Amino acid sequence: MAAELVRGQNHPLSQVRLKIRVSAGRPIVAGVTLGDEHGRIHGVEWVAHPGTPTLPGIEVSKQAAADHRLAVDLGAVPETVHRVTVLLALPVGAGGPARFGAVAAPFVAVTGLDGAEIASYTITGLDAESAVVALELYRRQGAWKVRAVGQGYAGGLAQLLADQGLPEARALAASIDEAVARGLARSVAAPPPRTPDGDRTRQTATPAPGPDQSASASQSSTGAVPSQPTSPHGPHSTSGPAASPYGAQSPQGTPAAGTPGRPAPQTGSTGTSVPLDPSAPPPGVGPVDYSHPGRRGGAPPTPPPTAPPVRPGQPAQPVAGDATGWSMEERLYNQVWGMFEDLARTMAAYRSAVDFADSRMEKELDQALSDPRSRLSGRGESAREAAQRRHVQLVDQARAALDRDLAQLAAESDVVEPALPPAYARWDNPVWHGYRVPMEIPMALRLGDLHLPERPELRIPMLVRLPLERGLWIDSGTAESLDGSFTDAYDVRRLAMETAVAIAARLLAVYPAGEFGVHVIDPAGSGAAALEPLVRTGALATAPAAGAAGVAEVLTRLTERVDLVHMAVRAGAADALPPGLDTAEQLLLVNDFPHGFDDRAVTQLRYLADEGPAVGVHLMMVADREDATAYGPLLDPLWRSQLRLTPLPDDHLADPWVGHAWTYEPPLAPPGSEILRQVLTAVADGRRTWRQ
């Protein structure tokens, strides 16, 4: 039976190969330090963190995340190590809370390789602390134990590491912050949190335990993030969302993993499942109350579509828009987000099951071959064959569960994709052929597709919330594709500019007439061919700026606009803005940066990237970072502040839960299609009508 520890309590460990699960409700940093018999760290090489994620017997996450899975093999740590300490910290400069008192109580669990929980600890009582020692595994008289610590530090990682005797504590803390910032820059951020009545509760059936698993293993959590500090397995107050592709860039919570009206995919053969909300009524019992506490007296929204009756023994038929929401657009948005999380967690369960099968076979082979008598007799060969058979059985079982879950998600994708509105749809969706200039700004915009290598044909729309809160960087320096083929540098730059034009066209198309404008800086005119649809249709606010003078003029005009709006907002005098000032949202598309930029122009560009989004000025750069190496680290904050996209399929994006490497594909129109030109023509016509 698992032990629920309180601060200072210890518990013996019966095995040396362990998993440590961390759930915090928002992205945090997880690391491990190795200490001697006095708990002192001998050097930076004794600390595992996102910049150095592996040490002998230790492996930690490479980025900040709401959920972490740390791997610990106490039998592989050096003999001089007597204490393994798990530390947690809030990311610095990520735009989120700066103290643990403002977030849900972190939950830490020590489990075996099969997922069976050994001990758990909910870290309560934190306030101003930004770093905390969660628990420690320590060696006592040849045996290992776990102790709940919960010691917080208001001075952050630097103070925590210094307290453990590390002389280079401040420098190491700075390098960890830098590694975390790089990880957050590539992570798809989750959307802002939703009110509890708008939660998308997704429930997962618990699979039967396998032949090598206990019932407790099959009931353990996949790491669904608790949002209430009272209990790690209590009610989930989730976001509607992971910017990991959807939404605001300061994730505040992690959505649950299911939606009313349909079962979510089951997890893999590790037997893990998302814990159910004990405060919620059983599925299918009683009507759903759609009343909003802040809208009493108003008409409730239309309930989501209901799936057709399911015959016993048959899977539920997916329905587009079966998530919660006040409009069909919001329900589809939440459904797409739920599919994204389901796929992430389903794949995590499968990979964990395969890792468990591999480690089990390795352990059984080591035991079988450790006895010389077994090696010299037929018993060793029989043991080897038996271990391999069990490995194949476990992997096949995990693959069967994965195939079942992927089939369910694929069926849902086939239903949802045709029902998406223009802002969420691919360019080949028929909805674009009936395009009309919208009257309202949509919730989100599709920036491309995401998929995993195990099922590349299952694509998840990558949605970001509007208005944009982060700039976009189309990397024109990526020349090698995932399949190993090499693309000519000229073609990469051309594809990068076409990707930028396709995204700019989407933004123009989803905003009402007169509420969004695009400005282009193309100093050398190298993007003229890709920009032709924007220029020829009249969708641009002004002609592309060329040369150093054109760069200076556009940057000065937009910088002055940002300054004026900021001053008016701070003074509470929005009506004092100049009469001719365009207050619509603006996108600055910069090609071939830093060509044509002097030091003053670079400073203005950084200012727009930092201050522009708050007042409706957004940045999209088409650039190769190598071209700007002359500026050194001066531009590092600029690159990190933007979401990096690639013109070729590339697995550089990560989800905010388990950190899978997702392959991104840009939202290009089908070859030979005229849909982009037709939509931009309608946008330009709508703008001319609006001005009359």
Side-chain angles (χ1 to χ4, degrees):
M1 182 177 179
E4 296 185 6
L5 305 180
V6 297
R7 185 173 182 176
Q9 184 180 359
N10 59 38
H11 186 75
L13 296 174
S14 58
Q15 47 192 300
V16 295
R17 292 186 177 183
L18 306 167
K19 294 284 186 179
I20 299 178
R21 294 190 287 106
V22 179
S23 299
R26 61 155 292 107
I28 62 171
V29 183
V32 170
T33 63
L34 305 180
D36 57 18
E37 61 271 16
H38 304 294
R40 299 184 63 83
I41 307 173
H42 286 194
V44 295
E45 66 277 4
W46 281 38
V47 182
H49 55 84
T52 307
T54 58
L55 294 178
I58 305 294
E59 183 175 356
V60 303
S61 305
K62 298 180 181 179
Q63 66 178 47
D67 292 348
H68 289 274
R69 300 291 184 274
L70 313 183
V72 177
D73 185 353
L74 298 174
V77 299
E79 289 293 332
T80 54
V81 172
H82 289 259
R83 191 172 300 178
V84 177
T85 303
V86 178
L87 58 91
L88 308 176
L90 293 171
V92 176
R99 60 188 186 91
F100 274 107
V103 301
F107 172 73
V108 186
V110 179
T111 74
L113 294 181
D114 58 358
E117 192 171 290
I118 300 172
S120 63
Y121 175 41
T122 302
I123 310 173
T124 58
L126 299 177
D127 187 13
E129 298 87 348
S130 59
V132 61
V133 174
L135 51 79
E136 62 182 12
L137 315 177
Y138 62 97
R139 196 197 312 251
R140 181 66 54 83
Q141 297 178 350
W144 286 92
K145 295 183 178 182
V146 57
R147 177 188 290 121
V149 180
Q151 175 63 52
Y153 295 85
L157 280 174
Q159 183 183 4
L160 185 155
L161 295 171
D163 190 48
Q164 295 191 15
L166 181 65
E168 308 92 337
R170 190 172 299 276
L172 179 59
S175 68
I176 293 175
D177 293 339
E178 176 70 18
V180 172
R182 290 196 301 268
L184 289 175
R186 63 182 285 269
S187 177
V188 174
R194 294 168 49 82
T195 55
D197 63 288
D199 289 346
R200 186 177 192 265
T201 306
R202 301 172 66 88
Q203 296 179 340
T204 302
T206 304
D212 298 280
Q213 297 170 279
S214 64
S216 59
S218 66
Q219 296 169 358
S220 62
S221 168
T222 60
V225 182
S227 60
Q228 303 294 336
T230 55
S231 170
H233 303 296
H236 292 253
S237 176
T238 61
S239 68
S244 202
Y246 313 164
Q249 303 309 314
S250 300
Q252 300 295 320
T254 304
T259 179
R262 72 181 180 91
Q266 296 180 358
T267 54
S269 65
T270 51
T272 57
S273 64
V274 177
L276 303 182
D277 184 348
S279 65
V285 176
V288 179
D289 183 7
Y290 287 95
S291 62
H292 192 289
R295 304 183 186 179
R296 292 188 177 92
T302 305
T306 303
V310 181
R311 295 180 179 178
Q314 291 185 348
Q317 297 299 314
V319 176
D322 69 345
T324 58
W326 291 95
S327 66
M328 187 63 175
E329 177 194 17
E330 184 179 5
R331 292 199 293 267
L332 286 169
Y333 172 84
N334 292 337
Q335 187 172 12
V336 169
W337 174 254
M339 293 165 57
F340 177 62
E341 184 180 6
D342 281 348
L343 182 55
R345 295 194 183 278
T346 295
M347 201 59 67
Y350 168 72
R351 293 177 180 178
S352 177
V354 173
D355 289 343
F356 167 68
D358 292 341
S359 62
R360 176 179 181 130
M361 182 178 69
E362 180 182 351
K363 182 178 180 180
E364 290 179 346
L365 291 177
D366 289 344
Q367 293 175 347
L369 299 179
S370 61
D371 187 354
R373 292 173 298 179
S374 299
R375 291 199 303 268
L376 299 176
S377 65
R379 286 186 299 171
E381 186 64 28
S382 300
R384 182 185 298 107
E385 293 177 354
Q388 291 172 346
R389 283 196 303 270
R390 280 190 289 269
H391 176 270
V392 171
Q393 178 186 5
L394 289 174
V395 172
D396 289 347
Q397 181 182 352
R399 187 70 206 192
L402 175 68
D403 291 341
R404 179 193 64 231
D405 298 343
L406 292 183
Q408 182 177 334
L409 283 170
E412 185 174 11
S413 178
D414 292 342
V415 172
V416 170
E417 191 70 48
L420 296 177
Y424 303 173
R426 292 195 299 253
W427 286 114
D428 58 357
N429 193 309
V431 71
W432 284 108
H433 294 280
Y435 170 78
R436 296 292 184 271
V437 178
M439 300 297 292
E440 296 180 350
I441 302 173
M443 288 182 59
L445 181 79
R446 186 173 189 156
L447 288 185
D449 293 338
L450 297 170
H451 62 84
L452 292 171
E454 285 86 350
R455 190 71 176 269
E457 67 274 13
L458 180 55
R459 309 288 176 93
I460 303 296
M462 176 179 172
L463 305 181
V464 296
R465 288 294 291 266
L466 293 179
L468 296 173
E469 296 187 6
R470 189 178 184 184
L472 303 176
W473 165 31
I474 315 300
D475 190 354
S476 59
T478 303
E480 185 175 356
S481 61
L482 291 175
D483 59 4
S485 61
F486 190 83
T487 305
D488 182 79
Y490 171 80
D491 290 334
V492 173
R493 293 178 183 270
R494 174 183 57 81
L495 290 171
M497 197 59 190
E498 290 178 357
T499 300
V501 169
I503 294 175
R506 279 181 169 270
L507 285 165
L508 285 167
V510 302
Y511 272 80
E515 294 193 21
F516 196 87
V518 176
H519 306 267
V520 177
I521 291 179
D522 188 19
S526 60
L531 290 169
E532 191 267 343
L534 290 172
V535 175
R536 185 68 62 88
T537 59
L540 287 180
T542 58
V551 171
E553 190 275 330
V554 172
L555 290 176
T556 300
R557 174 157 42 90
L558 290 178
T559 301
E560 290 177 351
R561 179 195 183 280
V562 171
D563 286 338
L564 287 172
V565 177
H566 266 305
M567 287 188 293
V569 170
R570 289 166 184 163
D575 55 347
L577 290 171
L581 184 70
D582 185 5
T583 57
E585 299 269 328
Q586 307 290 328
L587 175 70
L588 175 60
L589 197 166
V590 179
N591 185 33
D592 272 353
F593 176 81
H595 182 79
F597 281 72
D598 56 19
D599 290 345
R600 183 171 184 271
V602 169
T603 302
Q604 289 176 318
L605 190 69
R606 285 193 56 185
Y607 175 74
L608 291 177
D610 293 338
E611 304 295 335
V615 292
V617 176
H618 312 285
L619 179 63
M620 180 161 59
M621 296 175 56
V622 179
D624 181 359
R625 189 169 182 173
E626 294 298 323
D627 293 342
T629 53
Y631 290 95
L634 176 66
L635 293 181
D636 286 350
L638 176 64
W639 303 118
R640 286 200 301 265
S641 68
Q642 301 181 83
L643 177 62
R644 175 176 173 258
L645 304 176
T646 55
L648 298 172
D650 188 77
D651 59 350
H652 66 284
L653 292 176
D655 64 76
W657 307 287
V658 291
H660 289 320
W662 292 78
T663 299
Y664 166 81
E665 295 204 10
L668 297 176
S673 173
E674 290 293 320
I675 191 62
L676 195 67
R677 200 179 303 271
Q678 294 173 14
V679 170
L680 289 174
T681 299
V683 169
D685 292 343
R687 180 187 297 138
R688 283 190 290 268
T689 303
W690 172 78
R691 288 174 177 172
Q692 293 176 355

